[in-house]
């Protein structure tokens, strides 16, 4: 992933089909992005057991 | 005749049965209050004037004939406008939501309140899709705090919050994904309860964060919230996250008291460093009240509290984005700017990120339950918010920081959390005490709130603006 937040954000928005986002708001999202990324990255520092899955699937449940 | 400190659900229910008022009189008076206050407070998106008077007349006739549906019979309530009702379309305070959404009418919670005899007064204001910020660029009201109309009513259950505080309704429904029942409860000086996740069905509610959303009661007291929750709770097949539980009369469970109860005072830096001096002083006073009634208090540092708090904000963006992506791509400009910027951030995190947040969520929740067991702690308390109601413009950074919201960790865990008024700050603005319990200990949480309100009268304080308008 490119280190430049503006480029990264534009790539992700376009990949999501959000082509209508104007430049000023792409810029605002690029300003917000580094803090968002840092917040998310901190979750990878937490020790979680291998058995912890994101969702619990119970076979037989509708 | 309205009592000097205004109606509560409890006092109105008693007066209805004593023949001291009628539901029609209550509804008529509250509509008059709404006529006087709505322009100043931005409480309503739609008022059900005719149908509420008709329903009130039916309630009066039923009560006169000896048919008593319980404490909500004939009681006027407001419904946050992200919940569907039979009366008409839901807007979610947005230009985007398809008017056909919710065409099926009442969701289960609204239906249960209606069956209990409640009178629906209309749809209350929110923030667009229960997210974002007050947005003057769109044709919807800006909800204001009745304690100071230059300040925000809090959100996103804004209109239910300021409507209860200003005497336009006796209670109502809010929804809470990161604090949206408890924040406006705190800002407006009322009581609001976020139930345990899975206790109250969410179908009929426009989703925000699918695994963080809760529907909760908002009213003036823990008693009033207990009366509403007794009707609202219970599994429903339309919401597969609900859990089958024995029916509970939350009002009957209120009087257990706090003698011998162990209270953990949340001592994490995130709380203490992001709360003003007046808030921390009020919290100390509230703990003194509880210990004076026999509770035992100790400080407790919640493990992974920062992660529990930030998980709600980040994951709800992803969950909300998943719901909004088709319309966000097609109708970007129709969303308010604050809303679309929040939703678009959901496109900036990836699938692995969300999985990791969910894994930490499970570990943190389990770790906290283990700690509560180990320390024998029954409930946790903290301020609901770090500060009183934020100014609509020019607010200090620390006041509007998400770190000053001490609510979202309990959406991540799904634990029940109640906010009750605990006094005023130096500007005369209400402050909230948050009481948190183990899963499905909603009865205990409400009982602690009730015990506190038996020893204090903060929940009966009324905004000066309202006292002047309605006396």
């Amino acid at each position: 992933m490119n280190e430049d937040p503006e480029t990264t954000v534009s790539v992700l928005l376009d990949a999501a089909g959000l082509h209508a986002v104007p430049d000023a708001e792409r810029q605002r999202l690029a300003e917000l992005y580094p803090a968002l990324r840092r917040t998310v990255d901190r979750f990878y520092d937490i020790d979680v057991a291998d058995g912890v899955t994101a969702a619990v699937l119970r076979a037989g449940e509708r | 005749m309205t009592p000097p400190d205004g109606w509560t659900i409890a006092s109105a229910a008693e007066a209805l049965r004593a023949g001291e008022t009628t539901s029609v009189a209550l509804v008529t008076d509250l509509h008059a209050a709404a006529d006087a206050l709505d322009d100043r407070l931005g409480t309503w998106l739609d008022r059900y004037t005719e149908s509420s008077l008709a329903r009130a007349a039916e309630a009066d006739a039923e009560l006169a004939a000896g048919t008593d549906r319980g404490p909500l019979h004939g009681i006027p309530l407001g419904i946050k406008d992200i919940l569907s009702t039979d009366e008409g379309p839901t807007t979610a305070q947005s230009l985007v939501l398809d008017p056909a959404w919710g065409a099926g009418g009442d969701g289960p919670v609204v239906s249960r309140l209606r069956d209990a005899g409640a009178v629906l007064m209309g749809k209350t204001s929110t923030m667009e899709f229960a997210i974002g910020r007050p947005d003057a660029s769109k044709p919807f009201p800006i909800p204001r705090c009745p304690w100071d109309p230059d300040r925000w009513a809090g959100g996103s259950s804004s209109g239910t919050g300021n409507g209860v505080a200003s005497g336009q309704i006796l209670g109502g429904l809010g929804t809470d994904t990161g604090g949206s029942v408890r924040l406006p409860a705190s800002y407006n000086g009322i009581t609001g309860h976020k139930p345990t996740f899975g206790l109250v069905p969410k179908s009929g509610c426009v989703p925000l964060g699918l695994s963080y959303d809760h529907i909760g009661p908002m009213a003036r007291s823990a008693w009033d919230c207990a009366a509403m929750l007794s009707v609202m709770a219970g599994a429903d097949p339309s919401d597969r996250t609900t859990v089958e539980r024995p029916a509970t009369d939350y009002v009957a469970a209120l009087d257990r008291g706090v003698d011998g109860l162990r209270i953990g005072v949340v001592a994490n830096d995130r709380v203490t460093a992001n709360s003003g001096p007046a808030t921390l002083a009020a919290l100390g006073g509230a703990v003194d009240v509880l210990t004076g009634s026999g509770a035992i208090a100790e400080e407790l540092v919640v493990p992974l509290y920062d992660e529990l708090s930030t998980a709600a904000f980040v994951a709800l963006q992803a969950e909300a984005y998943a719901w909004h992506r088709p319309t966000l791509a097609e109708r970007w400009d129709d969303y308010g700017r604050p809303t679309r910027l929040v939703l678009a951030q959901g496109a900036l995190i990836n699938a692995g990120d969300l999985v990791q947040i969910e894994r930490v969520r499970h570990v943190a929740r389990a770790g906290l339950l283990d700690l509560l067991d180990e320390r024998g702690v029954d409930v946790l308390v903290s301020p609901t918010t770090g500060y009183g109601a934020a100014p609509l413009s020019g607010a200090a950074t620390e006041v509007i920081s998400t770190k000053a919201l001490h609510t979202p960790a309990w959406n991540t865990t799904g634990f029940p959390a109640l906010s009750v008024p605990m006094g005023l700050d130096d500007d005369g603005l209400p402050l909230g005490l948050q009481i948190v319990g183990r899963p499905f200990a909603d009865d205990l949480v409400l009982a602690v709130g009730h015990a506190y309100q038996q020893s204090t009268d903060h929940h009966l304080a009324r905004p000066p603006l309202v006292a002047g308008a309605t006396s």
Side-chain angles (χ1 to χ4, degrees):
Chain A
M1 187 62 71
N2 194 300
E3 294 295 322
D4 170 25
E6 290 182 38
T7 305
T8 302
V9 164
S10 277
V11 167
L12 291 171
L13 292 176
D14 289 340
L18 299 177
H19 305 296
V21 183
D23 288 345
E25 292 177 32
R26 285 176 186 260
Q27 177 63 40
R28 179 62 186 145
L29 288 165
E31 292 167 6
L32 296 169
Y33 181 71
L36 173 66
R37 192 65 249 169
R38 281 194 301 275
T39 299
V40 172
D41 286 343
R42 279 197 284 269
F43 282 84
Y44 291 95
D45 296 334
I46 308 300
D47 183 20
V48 292
D50 289 346
V52 178
T53 57
V56 177
L57 175 66
R58 293 184 178 86
E61 190 178 68
R62 285 182 188 274
Chain B
M1 174 73 80
T2 304
D5 54 6
W7 292 110
T8 61
I9 291 175
S11 67
E14 188 177 342
L16 283 169
R17 282 152 188 80
E20 295 166 359
T21 191
T22 64
S23 182
V24 167
L26 285 173
V27 167
T28 302
D29 285 352
L30 298 191
H31 279 307
D35 289 342
L37 294 168
D38 189 30
D39 282 352
R40 280 188 282 176
L41 297 179
T43 301
W44 297 100
L45 289 172
D46 191 8
R47 285 172 59 191
Y48 302 157
T49 308
E50 289 185 14
S51 63
S52 61
L53 284 165
R55 185 69 194 98
E58 289 174 20
D60 287 335
E62 289 176 345
L63 286 166
T67 301
D68 190 335
R69 298 172 186 254
L72 301 183
H73 201 166
I75 297 296
L77 303 178
I79 307 295
K80 181 179 181 178
D81 195 27
I82 66 168
L83 295 156
S84 62
T85 61
D86 287 346
E87 280 83 350
T90 299
T91 71
Q93 196 148 331
S94 177
L95 299 174
V96 175
L97 187 65
D98 184 345
W101 185 93
D106 289 354
V109 172
V110 171
S111 177
R112 289 170 184 179
L113 291 172
R114 202 189 293 275
D115 289 346
V119 177
L120 306 192
M121 297 289 281
K123 290 291 200 67
T124 55
S125 59
T126 171
M127 294 130 66
E128 185 178 23
F129 286 111
I131 203 170
R133 297 271 180 186
D135 184 358
S137 72
K138 300 296 180 191
F140 298 103
I142 301 293
R144 296 172 182 275
C145 178
W147 295 82
D148 179 351
D150 289 331
R151 295 174 185 264
W152 184 36
S156 62
S157 307
S158 318
T160 303
N162 75 10
V164 170
S166 61
Q168 300 180 63
I169 42 180
L170 303 194
L173 291 181
T175 63
D176 191 317
T177 307
S180 288
V181 162
R182 292 159 287 158
L183 169 62
S186 180
Y187 273 14
N188 291 288
I190 68 166
T191 303
H193 183 62
K194 182 201 79 64
T196 301
F197 188 81
L199 183 66
V200 173
K202 303 187 300 297
S203 30
C205 176
V206 179
L208 176 56
L210 293 155
S211 72
Y212 292 78
D213 293 340
H214 304 67
I215 300 175
M218 302 171 73
R220 293 185 69 198
S221 70
W223 194 102
D224 291 0
C225 287
M228 290 183 66
L229 187 63
S230 296
V231 170
M232 295 163 60
D236 188 274
S238 63
D239 179 358
R240 60 192 299 273
T241 67
T242 52
V243 178
E244 292 284 355
R245 303 277 303 174
T248 301
D249 181 344
Y250 292 97
V251 172
L254 286 174
D255 288 324
R256 71 172 306 287
V258 297
D259 190 29
L261 218 59
R262 294 191 76 88
I263 295 175
V265 182
V266 177
N268 294 70
D269 286 347
R270 187 181 178 95
V271 173
T272 54
N274 293 287
S275 298
T279 305
L280 294 174
L283 175 68
V287 171
D288 287 346
V289 168
L290 294 171
T291 55
S293 299
I296 302 151
E298 61 180 286
E299 290 193 345
L300 187 139
V301 175
V302 175
L304 297 176
Y305 181 75
D306 282 15
E307 287 76 12
L308 286 170
S309 298
T310 55
F313 292 123
V314 177
L316 86 80
Q317 288 174 334
E319 294 188 357
Y321 167 71
W323 199 83
H324 283 275
R325 177 176 160 159
T327 41
L328 196 62
E330 294 168 7
R331 301 183 61 185
W332 179 265
D333 289 338
D334 287 336
Y335 284 91
R337 185 176 187 273
T339 309
R340 63 202 187 209
L341 288 177
V342 170
L343 294 174
Q345 288 181 72
L348 305 183
I349 64 173
N350 62 50
D353 296 338
L354 190 58
V355 168
Q356 183 63 12
I357 290 169
E358 283 296 299
R359 296 176 80 205
V360 172
R361 182 184 193 184
H362 284 283
V363 168
R365 185 176 183 279
L368 176 55
L369 285 170
D370 288 345
L371 181 63
L372 295 178
D373 287 346
E374 181 186 313
R375 299 275 287 270
V377 169
D378 299 296
V379 296
L380 299 170
V381 298
S382 77
T384 307
T385 62
Y387 302 90
L392 282 162
S393 62
T397 304
E398 66 268 22
V399 173
I400 55 173
S401 166
T402 55
K403 290 182 178 177
L405 289 176
H406 305 316
T407 50
W410 315 119
N411 298 77
T412 305
T413 62
F415 292 3
L418 175 75
S419 180
V420 297
M422 63 171 180
L424 305 179
D425 70 7
D426 297 338
D427 294 321
L429 300 168
L431 300 167
L433 168 69
Q434 183 173 233
I435 304 162
V436 179
R438 286 184 172 83
F440 299 106
D442 298 71
D443 52 347
L444 179 62
V445 166
L446 286 161
V448 174
H450 180 67
Y452 178 72
Q453 291 180 336
Q454 295 300 104
S455 300
T456 60
D457 59 4
H458 303 306
H459 62 295
L460 298 177
R462 308 217 74 193
L465 166 79
V466 174
T470 58
S471 62

